[in-house]
Amino acid sequence: MNFKQSELTEQVAHTARDFAQQYIKPYLMQWDEAQEFPLPVFKAMGKLGMMGVLVPEKYGGAGLSYFEYNVIIQEIAKVCGAIGLSVAAHNSLCTGHILAFGNEEQRKKYLPDLATCEKLGAWGLTEPNTGSDAGNMKTTAVKDGDHWVINGTKNWITHGKSGDIAVVICRTGESRTKNNSTAFIVERSTPGFSAGKKENKLGMRASETTEMIFDNCRVPDTNRMGGVGDGFKQAMKVLDGGRISIAALSVGIAKGAYEASIQYAKERHQFDQPIGNFQGISFKLADMATEIAAAELLISQACDLKTKGLPMTKEAAMAKYYASETAVKVSTDAVQIFGGYGYTKDFPVEKFYRDSKLCTIGEGTSEIQKLVISREVLK
């Protein structure tokens, strides 16, 4: 594997970095305090290809690889984890699911608008009582002629209110049986599809998280993706790619906290010298740098396998697990380096600290990642 970034990847990173500095950084605390979801920002990113990174050009996307996708999310998350999270969810989950498992007619119909963020995407798997236990989901789809009738509630859904197009996994068989779920594309205008409670979150507050409610929502069979019963298997493959994006999100947050800590350690003086001269601080910075570098290598390995079309379930889970835990550790140490100032909203590290925790939960908890990894190594 070549560890050197290509010229294209560097150019993409530069574009994302400039965009984040100009259009996200000045407003991030305003959005965070108000829990405002800044939809116009995503529309602007859509014009730059950042909302259809992996979508082929023939469907209106940027046609880039996971390496470019990785740096886009990192550069945005270095400034604001919440915006990075929404970029990841739109690209990897809704758009990624249709790209991977939609038929040609579905791809032509939905991907161009998603790739430009003319329409925003959402993806629904989790329910109030079925997080990791997805095989026991309560949201059902029942066949009625050439339509399916969907009933149930999904929660913890990124863009559950603002999303124009949702991919929804519904149970079409008996609980706890194999192949008991199916994936459907549901448009926001469909009668019976509405948004429910918006979550009041610790972090990632500018990324919208709400319930999606289905009340006798009729969806044509032409909006079914793949065969009946293929939904869970599709979702697991989508999550493999999604875990790379959460790993990238984690590293971006960690880098943001680390870079702020480096600057502060040079500028803050105690006992007539920069606090970075003290071993108690410098060793924290050394640990941060090492752990971020290790996480980046795991992500590069997963990106390489994904780009080559090779199996990468274990590698994606490793990258997500290690990077997300690194984000929490690095941001925690960053608050410690800043001391009392780190606990205030006048300095950036408290937000990195709050945002980081979601990375160990979303798209499979750290415990689920260890379950995935252990199963793979014991095969």
Side-chain angles (χ1 to χ4, degrees), residues 98-176:
I98 296 172
L99 177 61
F101 297 104
N103 57 37
E104 189 63 14
E105 182 180 343
Q106 290 164 344
R107 290 175 181 172
K108 287 179 177 178
K109 181 176 181 180
Y110 293 110
L111 289 180
D113 283 343
L114 286 167
T116 57
C117 204
E118 188 69 28
K119 293 185 177 177
L120 187 70
W123 191 77
L125 176 65
T126 305
E127 298 182 3
N129 294 307
T130 56
S132 301
D133 184 18
N136 194 34
M137 69 177 66
K138 300 297 188 287
T139 299
T140 59
V142 177
K143 189 78 183 296
D144 181 21
D146 59 357
H147 281 71
W148 293 81
V149 181
I150 302 175
N151 282 286
T153 300
K154 298 290 183 179
N155 74 335
W156 305 115
I157 308 304
T158 306
H159 313 147
K161 179 180 179 181
S162 296
D164 303 290
I165 298 166
V167 172
V168 185
I169 318 301
C170 305
R171 183 163 57 80
T172 49
E174 296 300 317
S175 292
R176 303 207 181 283

Side-chain angles (χ1 to χ4, degrees), residues 15-203:
T15 299
R17 189 180 311 126
D18 284 352
F19 183 92
Q21 289 295 322
Q22 186 173 352
Y23 297 105
I24 298 173
K25 189 173 182 177
Y27 313 104
L28 62 91
M29 289 310 296
Q30 171 191 320
W31 299 334
D32 182 80
E33 294 282 354
Q35 295 202 78
E36 177 184 347
F37 179 62
L39 186 57
V41 170
F42 298 95
K43 300 288 188 182
M45 283 192 277
K47 293 178 180 177
L48 295 174
M50 290 191 280
M51 299 298 278
V53 184
L54 304 167
V55 177
E57 292 181 27
K58 68 176 181 176
Y59 300 121
L64 300 173
S65 77
Y66 260 80
F67 290 103
E68 288 77 47
Y69 184 35
N70 169 35
V71 297
I72 287 171
I73 293 175
Q74 280 198 36
E75 292 296 340
I76 293 168
K78 278 169 65 175
V79 174
C80 180
I83 304 302
L85 174 64
S86 278
V87 171
H90 175 91
N91 275 281
S92 292
L93 300 181
C94 177
T95 306
H97 199 138
I98 296 172
L99 177 61
F101 297 104
N103 57 37
E104 189 63 14
E105 182 180 343
Q106 290 164 344
R107 290 175 181 172
K108 287 179 177 178
K109 181 176 181 180
Y110 293 110
L111 289 180
D113 283 343
L114 286 167
T116 57
C117 204
E118 188 69 28
K119 293 185 177 177
L120 187 70
W123 191 77
L125 176 65
T126 305
E127 298 182 3
N129 294 307
T130 56
S132 301
D133 184 18
N136 194 34
M137 69 177 66
K138 300 297 188 287
T139 299
T140 59
V142 177
K143 189 78 183 296
D144 181 21
D146 59 357
H147 281 71
W148 293 81
V149 181
I150 302 175
N151 282 286
T153 300
K154 298 290 183 179
N155 74 335
W156 305 115
I157 308 304
T158 306
H159 313 147
K161 179 180 179 181
S162 296
D164 303 290
I165 298 166
V167 172
V168 185
I169 318 301
C170 305
R171 183 163 57 80
T172 49
E174 296 300 317
S175 292
R176 303 207 181 283
T177 58
K178 284 189 174 182
N179 305 320
N180 72 344
S181 63
T182 305
F184 299 90
I185 302 169
V186 186
E187 298 178 28
R188 176 63 61 181
S189 59
T190 308
F193 177 23
S194 63
K197 175 188 174 186
K198 179 179 178 180
E199 303 298 340
N200 184 10
K201 299 175 295 183
L202 168 72

